[in-house]
Amino acid sequence: MRTLLLALTLLTACGTQYRDTGAPITAQQDFDAARYLGTWYEIARYPVPFQKGCTATTATYGAVDADTVSVLNQCREDRPDGPLKEIAGTADITGPGQLKVQFASVPFIRAPYWVLWVDDAYETAVVGVPNGRAGWILARSPQISEARRSKANSVLRQNGYDPAQLFEVPHAAP
């Protein structure tokens, strides 16, 4: 678990880059943090060391105050019914669609988390980081339609990401 936490702290410092940083990156300007709260399933992600072996991944956000949300990331190790791993922290809202995440077990490090797009119903979201070393497609359920996936991939491309490098996240069968 310490390795997972250390790798997370290095998110903005090193790792494979999945985004052309010469391309503009834009967070959703009309982002509504209150509507974003709740549980999101990770549909796809760019491979990052701190999530190696993670399947059935979820992120749950809760209200702390007007400028801060709680964060609980959970995943199953190696398979959708494997051992549970989790890490908790907070995210400060620093601008429209822009947050800085900090985990209690990793003091002094705040990693960027930009909501690049969320659909009108707040059912599907695309998240990225300016340095392009991480990115996620999230949804309120473990599967999404082809139309929503196509839109998510389009948002990634518009922000300089290559959707072909995404890792599909397995979830347990319903």
Side-chain angles (χ1 to χ4, degrees), residues 56-124:
T57 305
T58 61
T60 302
Y61 304 99
V64 173
D65 60 38
D67 299 317
T68 309
V69 297
S70 62
V71 179
L72 176 62
N73 291 342
Q74 296 179 307
C75 76
R76 297 290 176 167
E77 206 167 356
D78 299 323
R79 60 187 192 282
D81 64 346
L84 182 68
K85 293 177 11 178
E86 62 182 36
I87 186 169
T90 58
D92 294 327
I93 301 168
T94 59
Q98 298 178 25
L99 296 90
K100 289 274 188 174
V101 179
Q102 182 173 12
F103 294 100
S105 53
V106 188
F108 312 116
I109 303 294
R110 293 178 4 140
Y113 178 101
W114 285 26
V115 179
L116 307 178
W117 170 77
V118 62
D119 65 0
D120 291 339
Y122 276 69
E123 293 293 320
T124 308

Side-chain angles (χ1 to χ4, degrees), residues 102-173:
Q102 182 173 12
F103 294 100
S105 53
V106 188
F108 312 116
I109 303 294
R110 293 178 4 140
Y113 178 101
W114 285 26
V115 179
L116 307 178
W117 170 77
V118 62
D119 65 0
D120 291 339
Y122 276 69
E123 293 293 320
T124 308
V126 175
V127 176
V129 297
N131 70 10
R133 292 192 169 97
W136 300 269
I137 297 174
L138 306 175
R140 296 292 188 175
S141 62
Q143 289 86 31
I144 61 174
S145 70
E146 273 301 312
R148 288 196 289 156
R149 179 55 185 262
S150 179
K151 176 61 179 175
N153 285 348
S154 175
V155 169
L156 286 167
R157 279 191 293 279
Q158 290 168 2
N159 285 277
Y161 280 95
D162 177 5
Q165 296 184 59
L166 285 166
F167 168 76
E168 301 300 316
V169 179
H171 289 272

Side-chain angles (χ1 to χ4, degrees), residues 22-35:
I25 185 170
T26 306
Q28 182 151 335
Q29 294 301 297
D30 63 350
F31 175 74
D32 183 344
R35 292 185 67 200

